[in-house]
């Protein structure tokens, strides 16, 4: 029997709703918030207010595009966390109201697990390649950098994580220092294509196991700019492309070196990437190249599934629905990953 899931995602600054029938995506609507650009980062209070404005039209549009009514939905999958608490509260509260109004069960979803399971969403015109269990997923976003061993849709183990800054934070913070617009990651990616990745050398961390650290890289980058700009005020403008290329190359090598080690130690050769930074063209190209070199089967998400989206939340909800893992109306959003896992 077909299972129809309505997914709701509101963890940060994108309001999204999607409808999934089994693995098949019927609609995926996203309302982004441009209001944060002039502040150089997401302002939580503005984000939650925008979610309140967007949630009803976004969900309504998703249902209309899917050609169904709310009464035909088997379950509502919603992001419980991690994320901005005010933003999460809007999505969770809306899911509760819709659940009560139409007597629809709710399924809570870990936002990060949603990113990983986006690899199992199929499109109406084609089936996308799916990794085979177990596989390793390099999950990289603005707030998280992790290597996750995925044994099944509901069995995941974080075997490596950042101990300070995430890769996305390193991109955005270094971009801000160079005077690049927010979000900085895509701008660095574009400029890096015009620069020399070997022009500058920045420090790389020496962390045991599969864990990551990007604070030292960020500090090394800042000191390089400080000393150079003191000697030449136009240094950044003259070397912007080379700085971006060298920074991006360093971040990618830090990410892949640990992933390569994890693959060797576990013997797992199905390798996926997910999260916002998985849209970075340098990372995408590098992981494909490493895959060819090392005999991996690599899985790169379509760009529409790299950002925060409800399709991935619906996909994770689908698997939880199959196991009867429903949420009560007493459920509350959780901002931190550590609290979500308790």
């Amino acid at each position: 029997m077909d299972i129809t899931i309505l997914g709701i995602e509101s963890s940060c600054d994108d309001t999204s709703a999607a409808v999934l029938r089994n693995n098949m995506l019927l609609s995926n609507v996203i309302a982004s918030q441009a209001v944060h650009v002039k502040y150089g980062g997401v302002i939580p209070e503005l984000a939650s207010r925008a979610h309140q404005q967007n949630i009803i039209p976004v969900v309504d549009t998703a249902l209309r595009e899917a050609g169904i009514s709310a009464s035909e939905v088997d379950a509502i999958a919603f992001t419980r966390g991690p994320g901005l608490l005010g933003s999460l509260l809007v999505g969770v509260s809306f899911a509760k109201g819709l659940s009560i109004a139409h007597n629809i069960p709710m399924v809570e979803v870990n936002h990060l697990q949603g990113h990983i399971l986006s690899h199992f969403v199929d499109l109406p015109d084609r089936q996308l390649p799916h990794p085979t269990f177990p596989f390793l997923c390099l999950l990289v976003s603005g707030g998280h950098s992790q290597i996750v061993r995925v044994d099944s849709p509901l069995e995941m183990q974080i075997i490596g994580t950042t101990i300070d800054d995430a890769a996305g934070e390193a991109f955005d913070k270094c971009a801000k220092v160079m005077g690049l617009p927010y979000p900085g990651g895509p701008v660095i990616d574009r400029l890096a294509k015009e620069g020399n990745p070997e022009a500058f050398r920045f420090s790389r961390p020496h962390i045991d196991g599969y864990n990551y650290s990007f604070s030292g890289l960020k500090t090394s980058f800042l000191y390089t700019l400080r000393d150079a700009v003191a000697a030449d005020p136009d240094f950044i403008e003259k070397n912007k492309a080379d700085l971006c290329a060298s920074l991006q190359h360093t971040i990618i090598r830090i990410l892949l070196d640990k992933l390569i080690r994890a693959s060797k130690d576990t013997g797992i050769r199905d390798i996926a990437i997910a999260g916002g930074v998985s849209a970075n063209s340098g990372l995408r190209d590098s992981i494909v190249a490493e895959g060819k070199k090392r005999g991996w089967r690599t899985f790169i998400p379509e760009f529409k599934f790299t950002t925060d989206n409800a399709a991935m939340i619906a996909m994770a909800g689908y698997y939880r629905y199959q196991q009867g893992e429903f949420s009560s109306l007493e459920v509350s959003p959780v901002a931190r990953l550590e609290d979500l896992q308790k």
Side-chain angles (χ1 to χ4, degrees), residues 11-337:
S11 64
C12 190
D13 61 337
D14 288 328
T15 312
S16 182
V19 177
L20 203 72
R21 181 163 293 145
N22 302 328
N23 288 65
M24 185 69 65
L25 183 63
L26 302 183
S27 66
N28 188 32
V29 179
I30 302 175
S32 299
Q33 302 175 6
V35 66
H36 307 285
V37 173
K38 65 179 179 180
Y39 298 104
V42 176
I43 308 300
E45 178 62 24
L46 295 180
S48 58
R49 290 180 183 180
H51 283 302
Q52 287 180 310
Q53 296 173 340
N54 293 334
I55 188 74
I56 292 177
V58 164
V59 171
D60 181 65
T61 301
L63 292 172
R64 289 177 181 271
E65 288 188 2
I68 67 170
S69 64
S71 61
E72 297 175 81
V73 172
D74 292 303
I76 304 165
F78 63 93
T79 302
R80 186 185 177 199
L84 301 176
L85 195 57
S87 295
L88 290 165
L89 186 60
V90 175
V92 174
S93 298
F94 183 87
K96 288 181 180 180
L98 195 63
S99 171
I100 294 171
H102 294 275
N103 194 29
I104 305 171
M106 299 191 305
V107 182
E108 64 184 68
V109 172
N110 178 324
H111 174 83
L112 301 181
Q113 292 181 358
H115 273 298
I116 295 170
L117 294 174
S118 67
H119 283 284
F120 296 91
V121 177
D122 287 329
L123 302 177
D125 59 340
R126 67 191 188 282
Q127 179 175 325
L128 300 175
H130 302 163
T132 300
F133 299 107
F135 67 92
L136 295 179
C137 185
L138 174 63
L139 176 59
V140 276
S141 66
H144 299 88
S145 295
Q146 300 175 343
I147 299 175
V148 182
R149 176 181 173 129
V150 187
D151 290 303
S152 78
L154 300 180
E155 296 175 295
M156 302 184 192
Q157 179 186 3
I158 299 172
I159 61 174
T161 188
T162 182
I163 62 174
D164 43 56
D165 286 349
E169 287 178 291
F171 274 122
D172 287 340
K173 290 178 180 178
C174 291
K176 190 171 185 178
V177 172
M178 287 190 288
L180 300 179
Y182 174 85
V187 181
I188 289 177
D189 188 18
R190 175 174 56 81
L191 291 172
K193 297 173 183 177
E194 306 169 7
N196 175 12
E198 304 293 339
F200 299 95
R201 288 189 177 275
F202 304 115
S203 66
R204 298 187 186 182
H206 300 283
I207 308 297
D208 291 337
Y210 309 130
N211 286 340
Y212 290 112
S213 170
F214 291 97
S215 62
L217 165 64
K218 182 184 67 177
T219 302
S220 172
F221 186 83
L222 295 179
Y223 282 162
T224 297
L225 293 192
R226 184 196 64 181
D227 296 341
V229 170
D232 179 5
D234 296 323
F235 173 81
I236 294 178
E237 190 61 36
K238 292 177 181 177
N239 297 277
K240 192 173 291 183
D242 286 346
L243 285 166
C244 289
S246 299
L247 174 67
Q248 178 164 289
H249 175 72
T250 304
I251 291 175
I252 290 171
R253 287 320 315 172
I254 292 172
L255 290 170
L256 291 187
D257 286 350
K258 293 297 180 95
L259 183 61
I260 291 168
R261 184 186 304 177
S263 175
K264 287 181 178 179
D265 291 348
T266 62
I268 296 173
R269 292 179 176 272
D270 272 27
I271 310 293
I273 57 173
V277 181
S278 68
N280 180 278
S281 64
L283 177 59
R284 295 167 78 92
D285 293 343
S286 295
I287 200 165
V288 169
E290 288 291 346
K292 292 179 180 178
K293 177 180 176 181
R294 301 178 186 281
W296 293 348
R297 288 205 314 155
T298 54
F299 299 87
I300 313 297
E302 295 206 352
F303 286 108
K304 70 178 77 174
F305 298 135
T306 59
T307 58
D308 294 342
N309 66 90
M312 68 185 193
I313 302 304
M315 189 71 259
Y318 168 76
Y319 288 117
R320 291 192 173 277
Y321 179 93
Q322 287 184 312
Q323 295 300 313
E325 296 188 2
F326 301 116
S327 298
S328 72
L329 291 172
E330 285 72 39
V331 67
S332 59
V334 176
R336 298 171 67 248
L337 177 63

